[in-house]
Amino acid sequence: MGAAIADHKTWVNFFGYRCGSKGLLRTCEGSKFVQFFNVQSKALNMLRGVARLNAAGAAELANFLAENLEKLQTPTEAYRIVSEKPLKAVDPDTAVLWFNNLLPFIYEVLPSAVDGDEVATGLVHSAQAAAKADGNEFTGSALKKLRANLLTILDNATVRIKAKAMRLLATHERALSQCEIFSDIRPVFKTDGKIEVESAVVYHTLRIEHTGSDDTFSIALDSHDLKRLKKAVERAIEKESALSTFIAGAGIGEIKLS
């Protein structure tokens, strides 16, 4: 279910990029042959769904990606956005399932492609190869429709430029995945050893999830990340004010750290 994928922190790529191992393949040196991709079963199901879209549905999906691509960095964000701005041709759960297969491909492959036609053609050939192995090949008309719909989606100028921008952002060693601020009150006990609260201090813990693996880091932030961080900080400031009021109401003093 798309709702289940929305709980994941990152997208899972069900395409494998293959280069230079068969005859009709674009080699690593960049010949003009067709690119082939290892289309796994979940990606094949997505491509079958894309093939069933009419022209208006494909255009709607392309326009949605063009408007929101930079915001769809995690399944959680994608599910929220597609629920708030539902597509006519695809329900939110199905859309997130499709995004789980399509977005990593857009982020990784599309920016380096010569054009959308090159990628669409490669995907059509790859989809048919996977479908043949699955025992349920695409019909000629379905392949034609799949190619047209993929071209609508992948050759959208805004989708392509945003995909390139996202690829550039991903070249940083670490990028922000999610952040939360936890606010707490810590009691300060009397200095004479008595177990009595004399004062209290409010403090906050900023937890940052990022794409790196170590604890010492710097993080690249885009404008969307800054807005999320700003919202979290503003909420922490409001919570500090509320907690300070709570402390005052308890009749104890508060130690201000700043």
Side-chain angles (χ1 to χ4, degrees):
M1 293 178 59
I5 289 178
D7 292 332
H8 296 181
K9 293 180 180 179
T10 59
W11 297 111
V12 179
N13 193 355
F14 290 103
F15 284 97
Y17 182 52
R18 301 190 312 178
C19 190
S21 61
K22 285 190 177 180
L24 286 178
L25 258 164
R26 179 176 177 229
T27 67
C28 293
E29 287 71 33
S31 74
K32 295 182 180 179
F33 293 132
V34 175
Q35 287 186 110
F36 268 68
F37 304 93
N38 181 21
V39 180
Q40 298 180 31
S41 60
K42 291 183 179 180
L44 180 60
N45 289 337
M46 181 273 294
L47 291 171
R48 291 190 189 279
V50 171
R52 289 192 292 269
L53 291 175
N54 58 27
E60 180 190 37
L61 181 57
N63 291 334
F64 179 88
L65 291 172
E67 181 181 352
N68 300 291
L69 188 62
E70 72 278 14
K71 304 172 187 175
L72 306 176
Q73 296 181 43
T74 67
T76 302
E77 283 294 294
Y79 193 77
R80 179 186 64 78
I81 292 170
V82 79
S83 297
E84 293 175 353
K85 304 175 182 178
L87 298 166
K88 294 179 181 178
V90 186
D91 64 84
D93 275 15
T94 301
V96 174
L97 285 171
W98 286 13
F99 293 157
N100 193 52
N101 294 278
L102 187 59
L103 288 177
F105 184 84
I106 288 177
Y107 293 145
E108 293 298 321
V109 178
L110 191 58
S112 59
V114 175
D115 54 39
D117 180 70
E118 176 189 24
V119 179
T121 300
L123 274 177
V124 168
H125 284 281
S126 303
Q128 183 67 315
K132 185 176 181 179
D134 194 45
N136 186 16
E137 295 183 48
F138 288 87
T139 64
S141 60
L143 282 177
K144 186 176 180 180
K145 200 172 181 182
L146 175 61
R147 185 183 181 281
N149 288 344
L150 285 173
L151 195 58
T152 296
I153 297 166
L154 300 177
D155 211 30
N156 181 288
T158 304
V159 170
R160 296 199 68 202
I161 196 66
K162 284 188 175 183
K164 188 171 184 179
M166 297 300 297
R167 178 74 175 271
L168 290 173
L169 182 62
T171 60
H172 289 274
E173 185 178 355
R174 303 168 190 86
L176 182 69
S177 297
Q178 190 57 265
C179 66
E180 291 181 278
I181 295 179
F182 300 97
S183 301
D184 294 279
I185 298 173
R186 278 287 178 89
V188 179
F189 293 93
K190 288 188 173 183
T191 58
D192 60 6
K194 292 182 179 179
I195 308 301
E196 294 180 13
V197 176
E198 183 173 339
S199 191
V201 60
V202 175
Y203 77 103
H204 312 279
T205 301
L206 172 62
R207 188 178 73 179
I208 296 177
E209 296 177 10
H210 61 94
T211 56
S213 59
D214 52 78
D215 295 328
T216 304
F217 56 86
S218 59
I219 296 182
L221 301 175
D222 60 18
S223 59
H224 181 58
D225 296 328
L226 289 174
K227 289 175 182 176
R228 286 192 295 175
L229 186 57
K230 179 175 180 287
K231 183 178 179 179
V233 170
E234 287 176 343
R235 178 170 171 77
I237 292 172
E238 292 173 358
K239 288 193 290 184
E240 176 161 4
S241 178
L243 291 171
S244 293
T245 300
F246 175 80
I247 291 171
I252 56 177
E254 177 185 359
I255 299 174
K256 291 285 188 180
L257 299 181
S258 62

